[in-house]
Amino acid sequence: MKILVAVKRAIDYNVKARPKSDGSGVELANVKMSMNPFDEIAVEEAIRLQEAGKGQEIVVVSIGPSACQETLRTAMAMGADRGILVETGEEVQPLAVAKLLKAVVDREQPGLVILGKQAIDDDSNQTGQMLAGLLGWAQGTFAAKVEVSADSIEVKREIDGGLQTLALKLPAVVTADLRLNEPRYVKLPNIMKAKKKPLDTLTPAELGVDIAPRLKLIKASEPAGRAGGVKVADVQELVAKLRNEAKVI
Ligand code: AMP
């Protein structure tokens, strides 16, 4: 089975995201970028499936500027076999990403597509669901454990108050949650080897996909600062404040 994994180049999770001074979006100039953390988990899971004899080839796909090649090389250094960059300098919203991924799926015919559950920059949590809808495939979102058998995949999902287990017919779309696995560190020799792995570049036009934005960002702003705390003299004052000011009792 071929496994396709979508990897996004996103703002590094250690960087504090700041809005641009004109509020037109998040500041990306001179900001460290890395693979979206949930996508690292998705790549790791594909590699573990391959190591367990459940996957023949792992193809990683990234959509965005040419710098996304770095993200693809990191995924290949982890163990993916080849990469596809869908290159565009334009803004690509989740629906456009899902349409582009569908076009790549139509070409590559994987048995399983794994994505991150969400990109930590836009926090959309939409792409996997939209891709499954466009393909007409089963979806297992927020996967905490997966088990692949001949023609199906069992996905355990963490839900409020417990675990939900789904059995999906393959081909299917799975999105990775935090506890699915712990991604491996990339070793230096593998970084060198990854440089020789095949990386193809396509454009949205070659895939016949219109990526025009459908949503308009009105404003990006910092969350309101927290008001400072106050010291209360005794329990009576605390109770009075909770009742009359915070109105929580
Ligand atoms: P989102 O719906 O934007 O929160 O993203 C969910 C997942 O879709 C991510 O974790 C990635 O696996 C995939 N994805 C989103 N945008 C891209 C992109 N530009 N290139 C590759 N994969 C993407």
Side-chain angles (χ1 to χ4, degrees), residues 155-181:
V155 177
K156 285 203 166 48
R157 318 175 60 231
E158 285 180 12
I159 54 165
D160 282 349
L163 274 184
Q164 184 186 56
T165 307
L166 300 177
L168 315 177
K169 246 178 84 178
L170 291 170
V173 173
V174 167
T175 71
D177 207 341
L178 194 64
R179 273 177 286 274
L180 183 58
N181 61 51

Side-chain angles (χ1 to χ4, degrees), residues 6 74 80 96 98 108 129 138 142 153 171-172 182 192-193 209 226 231:
T74 304
E108 293 286 336
Q129 293 88 329
F142 296 67
I153 178 167
E182 230 177 83
M192 305 314 288
K193 271 191 224 154
V209 176
R226 269 185 63 177
K231 258 192 179 163

Side-chain angles (χ1 to χ4, degrees), residues 94-106:
L95 179 61
V97 174
K99 287 181 182 172
L100 291 167
L101 290 174
K102 178 184 183 293
V104 175
V105 167
D106 289 343

Side-chain angles (χ1 to χ4, degrees), residues 12 15 22 30 36 45 49 70 87 103 141 157 164 167 171 180 192 196-197 203 216 221 227 229 244:
D12 187 87
V15 173
D22 63 359
N30 303 318
N36 181 45
E45 198 59 26
L49 287 172
E70 249 174 62
E87 190 169 354
T141 53
R157 318 175 60 231
Q164 184 186 56
L180 183 58
M192 305 314 288
K196 298 208 178 88
K197 292 188 179 178
T203 62
K216 186 171 163 214
S221 54
N244 305 325

Side-chain angles (χ1 to χ4, degrees), residues 5-9 36-39 42 61-64 68 86 92-94 97-98 101 114-130 175-176:
V5 186
V7 293
K8 183 174 188 182
R9 179 174 181 265
N36 181 45
F38 293 107
D39 303 355
V61 185
S62 193
I63 298 156
C68 296
V86 181
V92 254
Q93 295 180 345
V97 174
L101 290 174
I114 314 181
L115 303 91
K117 74 164 176 181
Q118 79 190 52
I120 62 162
D121 48 5
D122 60 19
D123 275 343
S124 296
N125 172 231
Q126 295 176 3
T127 309
Q129 293 88 329
M130 291 206 235
T175 71

Side-chain angles (χ1 to χ4, degrees), residues 1 111 147-154 167-172:
M1 177 172 73
E147 243 165 81
V148 173
S149 50
D151 60 351
S152 69
I153 178 167
E154 199 178 90
L168 315 177
K169 246 178 84 178
L170 291 170

